[in-house]
Amino acid sequence: MGIRGIHGFIFIFIYLALPVSSNQNNHAEAFKPRKTAILVHGLHLQADGWEKVVWGDVANQKLGRVPHAIMLAEQEAASIVVFGTGGSEMHGVKEGAFTLQFMKRNIPRLLAFDSVRSHFKGMSNSVLADLANRMAAISVCETESRNTVEELEQACSLFDFAGVNRVILVSSPTHLPRVLRDAITVFEARGYHPTLLVSPSETCYE
């Protein structure tokens, strides 16, 4: 897990089942209640291999963006999970809303991933129901943006309004460097300085 700092931000690459650490220099921050948000970056709904990127590759036991975000939300006690964007649509449903609906419908399919079953030490129907309820309670969609920069601008407004002081960006490994670069620019321009983290899923757009 690597830590990088620039322009007042602290960046931590965070992986599931590993503790998060930060070398915050401001001791006052250490006593400030932590409020974590997760931004699940969208993928064009007509992209080849959409489900593999977004949900994952069960045959090879690789988590896509959505199950990775679900597990991360549990591990990090997230207060809000945002699904973007409005850059594409399917059957009249915008990308962010479609992905959120997809997540809600497919939570039972998490059982196909060994890492998920191991994390929950077996998943009964009641555990799945509790997980579905928790995710429904903290998840929202953002459908106004048309690209990554606008998605980050919309998310920034949501996070700032909600008092979020810790943001985790979730996307595919090949996409995250650009997301992080754009997040630095957007957040800095708006004077919003949360602890900023990135956590890659295990599947990529090919």
Side-chain angles (χ1 to χ4, degrees):
M1 180 167 54
I3 300 176
R4 299 290 186 272
I6 188 171
H7 298 315
F9 291 102
I10 290 177
F11 311 117
I12 306 169
F13 286 81
I14 177 174
Y15 296 89
L16 293 176
L18 290 180
V20 177
S21 62
S22 171
N23 56 353
Q24 282 276 16
N25 292 320
N26 186 344
H27 294 292
E29 284 292 316
F31 297 98
K32 188 175 181 179
R34 190 173 81 177
K35 193 168 187 180
T36 299
I38 296 173
L39 175 60
V40 186
H41 288 271
L43 179 67
H44 197 289
L45 294 173
Q46 280 73 47
D48 292 338
W50 183 88
E51 185 161 340
K52 181 179 178 181
V53 176
V54 172
W55 185 253
D57 181 357
V58 174
N60 292 298
Q61 290 296 298
K62 293 182 177 180
L63 298 180
R65 298 178 189 183
V66 167
H68 183 81
I70 292 172
M71 296 294 290
L72 201 58
E74 284 291 292
Q75 177 179 304
E76 301 300 319
S79 299
I80 180 172
V81 179
V82 175
F83 293 84
T85 68
S88 64
E89 62 179 66
M90 182 80 72
H91 308 306
V93 181
K94 295 288 187 179
E95 187 176 308
F98 185 93
T99 308
L100 175 56
Q101 292 171 9
F102 179 88
M103 181 272 291
K104 291 178 178 179
R105 289 196 309 272
N106 286 280
I107 280 182
R109 292 175 61 199
L110 289 170
L111 291 170
F113 293 107
D114 295 341
S115 60
V116 176
R117 293 199 307 273
S118 176
H119 175 81
F120 287 99
K121 296 179 175 59
M123 293 188 74
S124 64
N125 288 335
S126 62
V127 171
L128 278 175
D130 288 344
L131 179 61
N133 289 336
R134 285 196 298 274
M135 287 304 299
I138 64 174
S139 298
V140 298
C141 61
E142 177 281 300
T143 59
E144 297 299 317
S145 64
R146 296 163 295 175
N147 54 50
T148 299
V149 170
E150 291 182 3
E151 181 183 31
L152 287 160
E153 289 172 343
Q154 293 290 329
C156 181
S157 296
L158 289 170
F159 297 157
D160 199 15
F161 180 78
V164 166
N165 52 21
R166 187 170 181 266
V167 174
I168 306 174
L169 308 174
V170 170
S171 192
S172 303
T174 52
H175 185 227
L176 266 180
R178 181 164 64 88
V179 174
L180 178 58
R181 178 202 67 192
D182 291 345
I184 295 169
T185 301
V186 169
F187 290 3
E188 182 72 28
R190 291 173 171 241
Y192 178 54
H193 297 103
T195 298
L196 183 58
L197 307 97
V198 294
S199 187
S201 60
E202 299 175 322
T203 55
C204 295
Y205 177 74
E206 299 175 358

